[in-house]
Each structure stands twice: as C-alpha cells, then as structure tokens.
Amino acid sequence: MALRKEYKIDPLDLKRNTAIGVMLPLGGSPIFKLSYTTEEQAISNLKNLLLTRKGERPFQPNFGSEIYSILFEQIDIDTSESLESSIRADIKFWLPYIIVSDLVVTTEEDLNRIQINLSVKVTNRGANTNIIIYVTNQGNISIV
C-alpha cells in the first residue's frame, strides 16, 4: 500500500484579512505592501536574505549573502562557482523551507557584470518563483 502525502496548511493562510509581513521591495500605498500568505512572505524573506550584506545585522553577523562582497572584485570562473555555493548554503541555513530548484550564475568578465538566476519553491507544493539578480560594474545590485 502506497503512503499518502500529507500537506499542511499554515493557519495564518486561512485568515484572509490578516497580514503576515511586509513585501519587498518596500513601498506602496499607504505605506508598505503587505503579504497575506506564508508563501508570499517566504519569497520576501528570501529577497531580504540575498540583499543583506553579511555583517550588516547586529547580533546576527552571519545573516545575509556574499553578493555585495563581490561588487569590486575581479570576476572570473571561480567567482561564479563560489557565489553559487555560498547562496545555496545561505538559503539552506537561514531559510530551510525554501527549495532551490535551479541556480545559475552567469558572468560577463569583460563588462564586470554578474547575473544570478534563481528558481525556488516554498515546500514541495507551491510558490514556484524565479528571481533574477543583476550585479553591475557601477556597483549596483537589482533584484527582479
């Protein structure tokens, strides 16, 4: 007899008018755009992790990613490999409920730019999302 998979629903998701957190990027009306499901909030938590510099948060110096540390480094093949393994390790440690389906780091050495394509899902049942992060030679990081 095959075992049946059990899916659990977070009780907060059943309260349609109760906000769980704040969505990223910040902004919206009247003040901030709010998330009303745990999956929406999980994706905002992921963006927060990726856009936070390690050492930026007091009392949690290991929270964040290494993306900012490569801004002014010479980009080569080792850069993409170390960045990929660093991102995977950070997500696994800080957000274990997020499953990384695919992670591709594309470097343009001549232009000193990096593009990070990240496909994730929250649990095995939902929130398939693609996130693209651009690191430019001007020192800018943008997330889509």
Side-chain angles (χ1 to χ4, degrees), residues 108-139:
E108 296 180 51
E109 290 90 358
D110 296 341
L111 299 173
N112 211 30
R113 288 192 293 203
I114 296 176
Q115 179 177 328
I116 303 166
N117 293 317
L118 183 63
S119 297
V120 297
K121 57 184 175 177
V122 180
T123 70
N124 285 323
R125 65 177 175 84
N128 295 325
T129 304
N130 294 319
I131 297 173
I132 301 172
I133 303 169
Y134 297 102
V135 181
T136 66
N137 56 355
Q138 288 89 20

Side-chain angles (χ1 to χ4, degrees), residues 42-60:
I43 299 303
S44 285
N45 292 346
L46 176 61
K47 291 177 182 179
N48 186 29
L49 174 72
L50 295 174
L51 294 177
T52 301
R53 293 181 174 120
K54 285 198 177 201
E56 181 178 342
R57 287 189 62 180
F59 306 111
Q60 297 227 335

Side-chain angles (χ1 to χ4, degrees), residues 49 89-100 121-123:
L49 174 72
D90 291 334
I91 293 171
K92 185 176 182 179
F93 181 79
W94 291 104
L95 305 171
Y97 51 87
I98 293 181
I99 300 165
V100 177
K121 57 184 175 177
V122 180
T123 70

Side-chain angles (χ1 to χ4, degrees), residues 19-86:
I20 295 173
V22 178
M23 301 278 290
L24 289 178
L26 295 176
S29 65
I31 299 172
F32 300 116
K33 184 177 177 187
L34 301 175
S35 62
Y36 289 93
T37 67
T38 53
E39 290 178 350
E40 283 180 339
Q41 189 57 45
I43 299 303
S44 285
N45 292 346
L46 176 61
K47 291 177 182 179
N48 186 29
L49 174 72
L50 295 174
L51 294 177
T52 301
R53 293 181 174 120
K54 285 198 177 201
E56 181 178 342
R57 287 189 62 180
F59 306 111
Q60 297 227 335
N62 294 324
F63 181 83
S65 71
E66 298 289 338
I67 295 173
Y68 279 97
S69 68
I70 59 150
L71 275 177
F72 301 106
E73 297 293 324
Q74 186 66 31
I75 295 175
D76 57 15
I77 190 67
D78 293 333
T79 304
S80 61
E81 290 175 2
S82 67
L83 188 57
E84 181 179 338
S85 65
S86 168

